[in-house]
């Protein structure tokens, strides 16, 4: 996750109505809660030692309160000045939003905004109040060449974020659903398919690609083959070790890590491994798991990260780890690094099949895996997709195409879930990410990936307001 201190000189934000100016939101450092069922303990500092101290002291989190402390959401409508697209959202009092870009709209490089808005990340530029937002696209209108990345230059101006320009920064890829930011300022975009030349395409797919956030034009699509060829979803990078963690978007999924030969230089290759529960052969995380229990883990090698039969056998990488006793997850989606751990979402995991949130904390022995939340029913949380660690240390979840009305929901350390933003429509939420100073939340409404974008266009939303009044 990008640092809270980067770009801290961005201008203050203010509420949607009234003339009172708010100071830039100051994120609160919440104290940890003692050990209890449903504990959502974050690995601050050195992780487990901090948790033990917290349990001993008996300290507790700030209570979630109504709507995460933000109160009842209210209806708010804004119109994109460029496209004329009108958007209505339900947000807490004091928050405002702006539509920054809709699918089919013009970009500064002469192209149009692609379909299927997906995951993204926001990067500092070194200039106060100016950020780069890199956004995935899972466009499927062309079955042989769809997907990629666009870059947006965002400036904070007169109390609101403004889109300065946008351009295509990666193409020639397929089904780019998610990815993740790196500590060295690039975006890793992942393909969620192993389709290839056997199906008539010009090239093989199923890889990770790197796009520098500072690039001012499109970069060449160079597949990082040592990171594996499978149905990728997201990645998260440990800023200390530069190890890259990867999720797999299948009902039978693995959780992987990539050990680069040279930290920060992924193109030089490295070693791919898959998570295994210590002392457990083919540990099944999908059902029968207890919230709060720490599971020691180890990692097994993947000998062929780029198997020749990956197109015909999409689980060709997974099968190698499975043969060595690796664990299985249910449809892994987004993951994010924060507070010394990786948080990953299983969209179909849990006894009710409504989703799980896992925490992996690395250590010198291999690490600990913990189930921090499991949804008991669809109304509370259904099919969590992208996951982001908010500057407070709590989590923000984007719901996918589950049952009910998809929302952007907060999840606290004490296991409380609350809706932060929602709207009445068909588009799924994707790619929640905060500006480097923590003052603006950027999030996508995915829209259609195959039909006329005017029917339900993908669009990027910027949200700002009094974050310090609640738990995010």
């Amino acid at each position: 996750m990008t640092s809270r201190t980067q770009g801290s000189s961005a201008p203050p934000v203010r509420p949607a109505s009234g003339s009172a100016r708010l100071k830039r939101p100051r994120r609160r450092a919440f104290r940890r809660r003692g050990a209890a069922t449903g504990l959502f303990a974050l690995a601050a500092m050195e992780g487990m030692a901090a948790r033990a101290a917290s349990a001993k002291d008996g300290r507790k989190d700030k209570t979630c309160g109504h709507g995460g402390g933000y109160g009842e959401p209210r209806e708010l409508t804004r119109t994109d000045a460029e496209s004329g697209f009108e958007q209505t959202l339900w947000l807490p009092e004091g928050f405002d939003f702006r539509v920054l870009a809709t699918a089919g709209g013009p970009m500064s490089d002469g192209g149009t905004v692609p379909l299927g808005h997906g995951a993204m990340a926001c990067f500092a530029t070194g200039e106060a109040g100016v950020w780069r937002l890199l956004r995935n696209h899972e466009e499927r209108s062309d079955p042989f060449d769809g997907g990629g990345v666009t870059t947006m230059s965002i400036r904070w101006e007169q109390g609101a974020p403004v889109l300065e320009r946008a351009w295509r920064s990666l193409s020639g890829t397929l089904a780019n659903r998610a990815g993740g930011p790196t500590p060295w300022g690039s975006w890793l975009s992942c393909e969620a398919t192993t389709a290839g030349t056997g199906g008539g395409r010009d090239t093989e797919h199923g890889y990770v690609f790197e796009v520098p956030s500072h690039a001012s034009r499109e970069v060449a699509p160079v597949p990082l083959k040592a990171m594996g060829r499978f149905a990728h979803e997201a990645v998260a990078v440990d800023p200390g070790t530069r190890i890259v963690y990867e999720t797999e978007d299948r009902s039978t999924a693995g959780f992987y890590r990539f050990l680069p030969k040279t930290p920060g230089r992924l193109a030089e290759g490295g070693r791919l491994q898959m998570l295994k529960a210590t002392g457990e052969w083919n540990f099944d995380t999908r059902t029968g798991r207890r919230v709060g229990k720490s599971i020691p883990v180890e990692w097994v090698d993947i000998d062929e990260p780029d198997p020749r039969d990956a197109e015909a056998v999409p689980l060709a990488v997974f099968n190698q780890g499975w043969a060595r006793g690796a664990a299985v997850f249910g449809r892994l989606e987004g993951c994010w690094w924060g507070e010394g751990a990786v948080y990953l979402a299983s969209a179909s995991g849990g006894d009710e099949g409504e989703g799980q949130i896992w925490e992996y904390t690395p250590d010198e022995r291999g690490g600990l895996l913990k189930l921090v939340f499991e949804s008991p029913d669809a109304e509370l949380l259904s099919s969590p997709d992208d996951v982001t660690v908010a500057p407070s240390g709590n989590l923000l979840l984007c719901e996918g195409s589950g049952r009910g009305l998809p929302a952007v929901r907060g999840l606290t350390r004490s296991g409380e879930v609350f809706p932060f933003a929602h709207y009445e429509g068909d588009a799924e939420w994707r790619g929640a990410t905060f500006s480097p100073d923590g003052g603006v939340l950027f999030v996508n409404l995915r829209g259609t990936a195959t039909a006329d974008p005017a029917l339900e266009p993908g669009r990027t939303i910027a949200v700002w307001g009094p974050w310090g009044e609640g738990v995010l």
Side-chain angles (χ1 to χ4, degrees):
M1 183 176 178
T2 48
S3 170
R4 290 176 55 187
T5 59
Q6 287 180 304
S8 57
S9 55
V13 299
R14 54 191 173 94
S17 59
S19 59
R21 179 177 294 273
L22 295 176
K23 294 181 180 179
R24 187 184 310 113
R26 185 182 75 246
R27 302 313 181 84
R28 302 175 182 180
F30 301 126
R31 293 178 294 179
R32 279 127 187 100
R33 179 182 175 179
T37 301
L39 176 68
F40 181 42
L42 290 178
M45 300 164 55
E46 293 302 319
M48 297 309 295
R51 288 181 200 151
S54 297
K56 181 178 179 180
D57 296 342
R59 295 180 296 176
K60 296 184 178 181
D61 276 338
K62 172 184 175 181
T63 58
C64 180
H66 181 55
Y70 298 110
E72 189 72 28
R74 92 291 194 204
E75 185 177 353
L76 189 64
T77 300
R78 295 288 181 259
T79 301
D80 180 16
E82 184 176 77
S83 66
F85 183 84
E86 186 176 271
Q87 178 70 62
T88 297
L89 294 182
W90 274 258
L91 289 170
E93 187 68 37
F95 283 84
D96 203 351
F97 79 94
R98 171 170 284 180
V99 180
L100 293 179
T102 58
M107 295 195 296
S108 56
D109 60 1
T112 58
V113 178
L115 308 179
H117 290 35
M120 56 186 178
C122 192
F123 299 85
T125 64
E127 182 179 353
V130 179
W131 309 306
R132 288 279 179 91
L133 193 63
L134 273 70
R135 175 183 59 192
N136 264 16
H137 295 272
E138 190 189 356
E139 182 165 348
R140 294 182 179 270
S141 56
D142 181 348
F144 291 98
D145 184 16
V149 177
T150 55
T151 299
M152 293 177 284
S153 177
I154 309 293
R155 178 183 295 275
W156 182 269
E157 189 174 274
Q158 298 181 347
V162 176
L163 174 63
E164 291 189 311
R165 58 193 181 94
W167 62 96
R168 173 84 75 161
S169 46
L170 179 71
S171 63
T173 55
L174 189 65
N176 301 63
R177 289 184 185 170
T182 71
W184 52 91
S186 64
W187 170 249
L188 298 178
S189 182
C190 304
E191 294 181 310
T193 178
T194 59
T197 55
R201 291 172 173 80
D202 292 335
T203 187
E204 309 293 355
H205 295 283
Y207 302 111
V208 178
F209 299 81
E210 187 165 16
V211 183
S213 64
H214 59 77
S216 59
R217 59 177 60 89
E218 186 172 339
V219 302
V222 179
L224 302 174
K225 295 185 177 182
M227 295 182 70
R229 185 185 180 192
F230 54 88
H232 287 274
E233 182 67 21
V235 299
V237 185
D238 182 335
T241 64
R242 305 297 173 96
I243 292 173
V244 184
Y245 296 91
E246 310 175 48
T247 60
E248 184 171 23
D249 184 16
R250 297 189 65 86
S251 57
T252 301
F255 181 48
Y256 304 88
R257 73 175 184 181
F258 178 68
L259 308 173
K261 289 181 180 178
T262 305
R265 298 183 179 180
L266 304 179
E268 295 182 9
R271 185 157 48 117
L272 184 67
Q273 297 180 319
M274 188 169 164
L275 181 141
K276 176 186 180 295
T278 301
E280 295 274 356
W281 194 265
N282 296 148
F283 182 77
D284 194 335
T285 67
R286 294 171 292 188
T287 57
R289 299 303 156 201
R290 180 164 61 86
V291 171
K293 180 181 179 181
S294 293
I295 304 163
V297 302
E298 57 194 67
W299 297 85
V300 298
D301 287 337
I302 301 296
D303 293 331
E304 295 184 57
D306 186 23
R308 295 180 179 179
D309 60 346
E311 181 173 9
V313 185
L315 287 173
V317 170
F318 173 90
N319 289 340
Q320 295 177 58
W322 184 254
R324 291 182 168 176
V328 60
F329 293 80
R331 234 185 90 207
L332 287 180
E333 299 284 356
C335 65
W336 200 271
W337 177 273
E339 304 291 326
V342 180
Y343 294 90
L344 52 152
S346 169
S348 61
D351 292 342
E352 301 298 323
E354 295 296 345
Q356 300 166 317
I357 305 299
W358 291 89
E359 173 195 84
Y360 165 73
T361 306
D363 63 28
E364 64 280 1
R365 295 178 299 275
L368 294 171
L369 181 69
K370 178 187 288 187
L371 178 62
V372 295
F373 185 80
E374 181 172 303
S375 180
D377 63 71
E379 289 189 7
L380 183 64
L381 177 69
S382 182
S383 297
D385 198 285
D386 291 338
V387 56
T388 302
V389 180
S392 69
N394 290 311
L395 297 188
L396 199 64
L397 310 174
C398 289
E399 281 187 311
S401 55
R403 294 177 286 175
L405 186 67
V408 178
R409 300 185 187 273
L411 172 62
T412 71
R413 284 186 290 273
S414 57
E416 295 173 281
V417 177
F418 63 93
F420 174 76
H422 67 90
Y423 95 113
E424 295 179 352
D426 296 329
E428 301 169 7
W429 294 95
R430 289 287 187 274
T433 186
F434 286 89
S435 59
D437 71 336
V440 182
L441 169 68
F442 296 98
V443 63
N444 287 322
L445 282 164
R446 180 176 179 270
T448 179
T450 56
D452 182 354
L455 299 177
E456 181 68 51
R459 57 267 193 205
T460 297
I461 308 290
V463 179
W464 64 97
W467 297 105
E469 293 182 2
V471 299
L472 295 175

